[in-house]
Amino acid sequence: MRPLVEPGPELTDAQRERYSRHLLLPEVGETGQRRLLASRVLVVGAGGLGSPALLYLAAAGVGTIGVVDDDVVETSNLQRQVLHGSTDVGRAKVDSAADAVARLDPAITVVRHHERLTRDSAPRVVAGYDLVLDGSDTFETRYLVNDVLVAAGTPWVWGAVLRFDGHVSVFDPAGPTYRDLFPTAPPPGSVPSCGEAGVLGGVCAAVASVMVTEAVKLITGAGRPLLGRVLVHDALAMTWRELPLRPDPRRTGPEDLPTVTAAELLAAPGPVVVDVREPDERAAGAVPGSVHVPLAQVLADPSGLPPGPVVLHCARGSRSAQALRAVLSTGRTDVVHLEGGFAAWRAAGGPVG
Ligand SMILES: Nc1ncnc2c1ncn2[C@@H]1O[C@H](COP(=O)(O)OP(=O)(O)OP(=O)(O)O)[C@@H](O)[C@H]1O
């Protein structure tokens, strides 16, 4: 597996001593430790999963750790959120997390994002990180993390816990992703939260430990990642099952999304054409009169497109499909995407400006 991060500077003697047990592992070694120290990892949620994950990421020498959480520590968190202590109750979780990491190793940089991750804020918050660990507790945030990281091209490790059960996997923008595992959210109220159904602290630690191990493997390139596989943990039976996960071909195919072909659009050129590609792609040729709204902007604000009818397009159809899914989820019905994208437009003899 190709390591995610290039190695940073040579280790100092103090670092060689601190990470000596990593250096003994041929799969990590000095180069792997330099990769870890140079890496930037964002943890979404300093709760049940994020708490143990943050400690182990810091101890492993992940050089820059971002934490995004808008919550404060509550007494009922302490049973499993081992990063926080009794004296932290009432404090922002990101502050308590930063202090705990500093106690462990003041050389680790902690970036506090004391805010809610939303469609507006997420593209800014995730920018610049090599990898994300999603320890959030709602479907809304997990889909948001999915869509923003697919657009940003950043891989992520996902974990979830409830009662005595845990799930964990690695997702990649090229797939499989969280949307391949759960194409649609369950109806509101059908899945209880940990606050309603309870959760065992040890289960959080077990799942978080797998998440950190996968993060270290991805950063250093060690072993085989948990990509395309979902681990399902049942602590009452004490079993770990592995389920295969493949990208859902319908997600990228034209059949489940409203499309228009280039020939159809050329024959009936009424709709606003929205180009979701990047500026450099557009500079090399675009549909005359098209409007430019890059994919990240559509995902951040799916209600912000011009009035319809609208045809979305990208280079070949995959980014416009992503954008279209986000737009359709707002309830709009007057938006389609161009099958085969700009390549199909050119091939059909469409004008290029
Ligand atoms: N969109 C989001 N932006 C920022 N933080 C988030 C977001 N979604 C979830 N989180 C954070 O993720 C953490 C999830 O932790 P956990 O599942 O243990 O829940 P909790 O809210 O701390 O506990 P409980 O539900 O038992 O009260 C929380 O601290 C929560 O604030």
Side-chain angles (χ1 to χ4, degrees):
M1 189 181 80
R2 225 172 123 245
L4 206 55
V5 179
E6 289 304 312
E10 290 285 327
L11 300 184
T12 62
D13 287 345
Q15 287 172 330
R16 271 196 197 96
E17 187 181 352
R18 182 169 195 119
Y19 301 113
S20 59
R21 299 306 186 264
H22 272 175
L23 304 191
L24 291 169
L25 302 168
E27 293 82 355
V28 181
E30 287 231 5
T31 309
Q33 192 59 51
R34 286 165 52 199
R35 292 185 199 279
L36 288 165
L37 287 162
S39 68
R40 300 174 53 88
V41 175
L42 176 71
V43 178
V44 180
L49 291 172
S51 289
L54 281 156
L55 289 174
Y56 276 91
L57 287 172
V62 168
T64 303
I65 305 177
V67 197
V68 55
D69 201 310
D70 60 332
D71 201 8
V72 296
V73 179
E74 291 171 38
T75 303
S76 62
N77 296 154
L78 302 180
Q79 151 264 11
R80 67 191 183 287
Q81 301 184 18
V82 293
L83 192 69
H84 317 297
S86 305
T87 54
D88 295 314
V89 171
R91 296 183 70 206
K93 285 184 178 178
V94 292
D95 291 340
S96 170
D99 288 353
V101 169
R103 276 195 299 277
L104 212 144
D105 182 357
I108 304 293
T109 302
V110 178
V111 183
R112 305 168 202 206
H113 304 274
H114 186 205
E115 59 183 304
R116 188 99 195 136
L117 207 60
T118 63
R119 297 244 165 222
D120 279 340
S121 68
R124 168 180 50 78
V125 173
V126 307
Y129 288 102
D130 303 306
L131 180 71
V132 173
L133 265 57
D134 180 7
S136 67
D137 56 348
T138 64
F139 287 97
E140 192 191 354
T141 300
R142 291 175 193 142
Y143 285 119
L144 166 64
V145 167
N146 183 102
D147 297 346
V148 168
L149 295 182
V150 166
T154 308
W156 73 107
V157 188
W158 161 76
V161 285
L162 187 66
R163 302 190 181 106
F164 293 87
D165 301 326
H167 290 77
V168 55
S169 193
V170 169
F171 297 129
D172 186 86
T177 70
Y178 184 72
R179 285 194 185 272
D180 294 308
L181 184 60
F182 296 112
T184 52
S190 63
V191 179
S193 68
C194 292
E196 291 157 351
V199 64
L200 203 69
V203 173
C204 299
V207 170
S209 160
V210 175
M211 292 171 78
V212 172
T213 302
E214 287 305 303
V216 170
K217 284 166 58 187
L218 290 165
I219 292 164
T220 60
R224 180 166 74 106
L226 191 59
L227 182 68
R229 302 181 283 147
V230 181
L231 285 188
V232 180
H233 178 43
D234 175 348
L236 283 179
M238 201 42 85
T239 54
W240 291 85
R241 281 187 304 137
E242 183 183 305
L243 306 177
L245 177 66
R246 273 180 284 279
D248 182 348
R250 284 169 312 164
R251 276 208 321 114
T252 48
E255 66 275 14
D256 66 333
L257 289 170
T259 58
V260 62
T261 64
E264 286 165 349
L265 186 58
L266 281 163
V272 181
V273 177
V274 173
D275 183 351
V276 303
R277 297 175 302 162
E278 296 304 310
D280 56 328
E281 297 175 274
R282 198 170 155 75
V287 177
S290 58
V291 179
H292 186 213
V293 188
L295 175 62
Q297 197 177 321
V298 181
L299 296 179
D301 180 17
S303 327
L305 288 183
V310 166
V311 175
L312 300 169
H313 89 82
C314 60
R316 299 193 174 274
S318 118
R319 280 173 289 169
S320 59
Q322 260 181 59
L324 182 55
R325 270 183 225 107
V327 173
L328 295 178
S329 71
T330 67
R332 267 185 84 159
T333 54
D334 55 355
V335 184
V336 302
H337 80 137
L338 178 62
E339 192 177 315
F342 191 63
W345 174 261
R346 269 187 196 272
V352 174

